[in-house]
Amino acid sequence: KEKMMIFDYTFHRNLSHLHVGCDAPRAYFIPYKSDENAKKGNRAASYYFRSLCGRWDFRYYRRCEEIGDFCSDSFDNVYSDSIDVPRSWQTVLGAGYDIPQYTNHIYPIPIDPPHVPEDNPCGLYHRSLVLDENDLDGHDVKIVFEGVDSCFYLFVNNEFAAYSQVSHMTSEIDITKYVRPGENDLKVVVVKWSDGTYLEDQDKLRFSGIFREVYLLFREKTRIEDVHISNTLSDDFLSGKINAEIFANANADVNYRLVDPHGTELEAGSVCCDRHGSLELKVGSPMLWNDETPNLYELYLSCGNEHIRLEIGMRRVEIKGRVVLVNGKKVKAKGMNRHDSHPLLGAATPYEHMLRDLYIMKAHNINMVRTS
């Protein structure tokens, strides 16, 4: 069939399309092969996880219409450069990839919602991906983008697979039907401005590109799709409950284990999910969470070969009048704003850099963060 050129796709300036071909949003978790591996929490070591971070081929365009039909055989497949993923393209010095922009209350584009300027910069990212039979046998293949500013179009083996504009949150896409054993081709077109830009006018430096990690998840055919955790505490804080709503993609038995902050198993069992199942776990004398003693309970869930681990803080935060109460005790809120920001990478922020920010905040008695 005839391929469309990128400017035939108008999702980024169409209020009717926030996501096309994307999975429904879900709680963050990574599946592992065992509870022991899930406890370690090193997602890079998970059997089901494969990072796509690193150097990608890259071409920068001052407007989308300059790209042409990049899915055709006649497209000039000589990419002018390569770029690290994740990274904001404005931070590549001397390459002419736009410039960082700082603005507070003034919009970065002329105010004509939902329209965006015709001179709308974009970047074409490309890389190959090799999959073998074991990757595809019995698995659905998901690709996850943890942050792309402002929006992106995904093409797999030159087929349009998805569109998403939720720049500072996760987009998950099922690409099972597009991939094959052997070499696969990924192309991502990132557009600087979309109609969503009108809702993302934050007080910060503006950057563009794939600025958070990209990875594959190989999910079992029968699996947990989503989990919603909540907890309640008695008025005297001497007892509590952990409630879990579990959503599976098919009828499945889900095993569970609840472990307290000392590592003691409190309860274990199994629940049948007719696509949806519920748990209510009673906790006596709960070890409460606060910013000085961040006690966390662990809920392990397994479905088939997949094991996931969720951390739960038993706490109650209230505002009464002008007083903030955490677990019934008065707390003076000492907060600050924080945007992901790195002096060399833009909005791409390495884990160690995030930790350093938190240590600096803690050293200055900051106990609350507005993540904007």
Side-chain angles (χ1 to χ4, degrees):
K1 67 182 180 181
E2 183 179 355
K3 310 290 184 184
M4 289 193 289
M5 292 194 282
I6 183 59
F7 54 82
D8 290 320
Y9 293 93
T10 60
F11 300 141
H12 63 284
R13 51 179 182 262
N14 186 329
L15 292 175
S16 299
H17 296 90
L18 289 177
H19 310 284
V20 178
C22 297
D23 290 354
R26 65 169 178 86
Y28 170 82
F29 57 80
I30 299 293
Y32 294 85
K33 274 289 193 180
S34 67
D35 284 0
E36 291 74 19
N37 288 334
K39 182 174 179 60
K40 294 177 182 177
N42 179 8
R43 70 183 191 180
S46 171
Y47 169 83
Y48 299 105
F49 178 97
R50 183 178 302 174
S51 175
L52 296 181
C53 297
R55 298 293 287 185
W56 288 50
D57 300 324
F58 184 73
R59 291 183 74 166
Y60 172 78
Y61 298 89
R62 297 188 183 278
R63 58 202 314 246
C64 297
E65 287 77 5
E66 294 179 0
I67 298 181
D69 188 359
F70 59 85
C71 289
S72 71
D73 294 336
S74 61
F75 179 71
D76 179 11
N77 202 31
V78 179
Y79 291 84
S80 59
D81 201 354
S82 62
I83 192 170
D84 286 324
V85 170
R87 182 170 187 167
S88 301
W89 69 51
Q90 287 92 344
T91 64
V92 182
L93 300 180
Y97 300 154
D98 205 356
I99 58 174
Q101 181 184 19
Y102 174 81
T103 180
N104 183 359
H105 62 283
I106 300 174
Y107 273 110
I109 57 177
I111 302 175
D112 186 22
H115 305 293
V116 295
E118 290 188 5
D119 290 334
N120 192 358
C122 61
L124 173 60
Y125 292 75
H126 167 264
R127 66 161 289 162
S128 61
L129 168 67
V130 177
L131 299 173
D132 60 31
E133 295 285 356
N134 292 332
D135 294 326
L136 304 179
D137 185 22
H139 295 130
D140 288 331
V141 183
K142 311 276 190 172
I143 187 169
V144 180
F145 294 82
E146 293 198 331
V148 182
D149 198 330
S150 155
C151 62
F152 70 94
Y153 296 83
L154 170 68
F155 295 79
V156 182
N157 292 323
N158 289 328
E159 294 287 338
F160 171 71
Y163 167 80
S164 184
Q165 63 174 70
V166 53
S167 63
H168 287 252
M169 291 184 70
T170 294
S171 302
E172 185 167 358
I173 301 147
D174 190 328
I175 59 172
T176 308
K177 65 181 180 181
Y178 299 105
V179 294
R180 58 194 178 225
E183 187 169 350
N184 294 267
D185 184 88
L186 298 180
K187 294 187 177 81
V188 182
V189 176
V190 179
V191 183
K192 180 176 182 178
W193 292 312
S194 67
D195 51 39
T197 299
Y198 288 100
L199 301 179
E200 296 183 337
D201 192 46
Q202 300 282 351
D203 177 8
K204 65 174 185 176
L205 278 165
R206 314 304 174 90
F207 293 109
S208 311
I210 303 176
F211 70 93
R212 289 185 182 154
E213 294 189 29
V214 184
Y215 53 87
L216 296 181
L217 286 179
F218 301 96
R219 299 298 307 275
E220 301 284 350
K221 293 294 185 180
T222 301
R223 59 183 178 267
I224 294 171
E225 289 281 21
D226 198 4
V227 184
H228 179 236
I229 304 291
S230 62
N231 70 84
T232 57
L233 292 164
S234 62
D235 291 340
D236 57 10
F237 299 99
L238 296 179
S239 64
K241 295 178 182 178
I242 293 174
N243 302 289
E245 300 290 322
I246 305 168
F247 301 89
N249 70 332
N251 296 342
D253 290 330
V254 175
N255 298 314
Y256 65 88
R257 291 195 309 121
L258 179 65
V259 178
D260 73 11
H262 290 313
T264 302
E265 184 176 292
L266 301 181
E267 189 173 338
S270 179
V271 60
C272 180
C273 289
D274 186 8
R275 294 188 176 270
H276 171 252
S278 299
L279 285 175
E280 183 181 271
L281 306 173
K282 295 181 180 180
V283 180
S285 301
M287 300 175 63
L288 302 179
W289 182 100
N290 62 56
D291 67 313
E292 293 294 337
T293 55
N295 295 311
L296 293 173
Y297 288 77
E298 298 171 307
L299 180 61
Y300 292 88
L301 301 174
S302 63
C303 180
N305 294 321
E306 290 190 358
H307 296 248
I308 65 176
R309 170 179 168 264
L310 301 164
E311 294 180 320
I312 304 163
M314 299 287 287
R315 69 176 184 184
R316 186 164 73 213
V317 179
E318 305 167 279
I319 299 177
K320 293 185 176 181
R322 296 174 61 85
V323 179
V324 178
L325 302 175
V326 177
N327 301 329
K329 297 181 179 180
K330 296 179 181 180
V331 173
K332 184 174 288 293
K334 300 176 181 178
M336 63 174 294
N337 280 355
R338 181 192 175 277
H339 288 283
D340 283 347
S341 180
H342 188 273
L344 299 179
L345 303 175
T349 312
Y351 179 69
E352 294 75 15
H353 190 84
M354 293 184 191
L355 281 180
R356 183 172 178 268
D357 278 355
L358 292 172
Y359 290 142
I360 292 173
M361 293 177 202
K362 190 65 175 172
H364 289 80
N365 299 313
I366 299 298
N367 60 4
M368 297 189 182
V369 181
R370 177 176 179 262
T371 58
S372 303

